[in-house]
């Protein structure tokens, strides 16, 4: 966890965490929300579909956590800025922001429309730019903060049928590591998490009328456990500035490199 550089005479603010890109209750975003809420942090559960984030919030609050549902389109600059303006106006301490936006959708390259490429670029990369621009301004004022991006192995090696996804995630990785270089001296921890493998969540398990779950189970390691992923996000947040991780590689024990 970052060490605050704020004056000890300043009034203590309530700490909060923002997780952008929360969908199904069994997904990375929701698991990260639950993990941070366990530590008594107020969690803004942010997603495009309000009824999904409300389900996640209800489960967290039922267990004694403090979560707030917030619906927005992470590709809309005004909507993203409005969220962080709200946090600033409420004088809350923004402790961490997790960007978890962008799904993996396959396509055949020569049959992929420009509209599809634009859609993938906006969800995987543009949304990250908007979220980081708004959050980093607050982190700079506070002189501390943690910003974590959910990446993918596509940022390191593209595979057939995933050119559009590779494009967005490669840009995200370069962008995140560049931000880490710029903002680390300002006591702002920026980390990029490479998620390599099928995730044991609703998006995979319910894909192709349930065949996604079968594919995940037949692959080595059975997929990435979402609670284990969330534990690693918490570990990144807890790190001392004396030794920060800026890129973390997560994969099942039998996943191919």
């Amino acid at each position: 966890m970052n060490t605050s550089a704020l004056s000890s005479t300043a009034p203590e603010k309530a700490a909060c965490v923002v997780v952008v890109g929360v969908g199904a209750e069994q997904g990375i975003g929701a698991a990260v929300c639950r993990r941070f809420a366990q530590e008594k942090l107020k969690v803004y559960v942010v997603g495009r579909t309000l009824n999904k984030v409300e389900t996640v919030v209800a489960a967290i609050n039922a267990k004694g956590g403090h979560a707030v549902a917030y619906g927005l389109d992470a590709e809309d600059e005004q909507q993203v800025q409005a969220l962080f303006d709200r946090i600033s106006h409420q004088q809350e301490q923004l402790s961490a922001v997790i960007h978890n936006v962008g799904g993996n959708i396959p396509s055949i390259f020569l049959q992929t429309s420009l509209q599809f490429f634009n859609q993938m670029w906006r969800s995987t990369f543009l949304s990250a730019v908007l979220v980081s621009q708004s959050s980093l301004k607050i982190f700079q004022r506070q002189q501390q903060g943690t910003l974590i991006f959910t990446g993918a192995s596509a940022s390191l090696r593209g595979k057939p049928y995933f050119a559009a996804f590779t494009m967005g995630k490669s840009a995200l990785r370069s962008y995140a590591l560049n931000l880490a270089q710029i903002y680390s001296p300002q006591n702002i921890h920026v980390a990029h998490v490479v998620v390599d493998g099928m995730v044991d969540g609703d998006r995979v398990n319910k894909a192709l009328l349930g065949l996604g779950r079968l594919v995940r189970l037949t692959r080595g390691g059975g997929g990435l456990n979402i609670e284990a992923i969330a534990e690693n996000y918490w570990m990144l947040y807890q790190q001392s500035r004396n030794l920060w991780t800026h890129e973390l590689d997560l994969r099942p024990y039998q996943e191919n490199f």
Side-chain angles (χ1 to χ4, degrees), residues 72-91:
L72 61 70
D73 177 358
E75 300 166 27
D76 187 300
E77 181 179 9
Q78 293 183 339
Q79 291 185 35
V80 172
Q81 187 59 52
L83 167 61
F84 290 98
D85 285 345
R86 170 179 170 174
I87 293 171
S88 294
H89 293 156
Q90 293 180 170
Q91 297 188 340

Side-chain angles (χ1 to χ4, degrees), residues 179-226:
L179 291 183
Q181 182 180 13
I182 296 170
Y183 291 100
S184 290
Q186 300 179 42
N187 197 34
I188 298 171
H189 184 190
V190 180
H192 175 255
V193 180
V194 177
V195 177
D196 186 10
M198 301 184 75
V199 175
D200 183 10
D202 283 350
R203 178 176 290 176
V204 169
N205 292 331
K206 294 182 179 180
L208 302 174
L209 301 177
L211 289 178
R213 179 176 183 274
L214 179 62
V215 172
R216 176 183 60 77
L217 291 174
T218 56
R219 293 188 59 176
L224 285 144
N225 179 275
I226 57 173

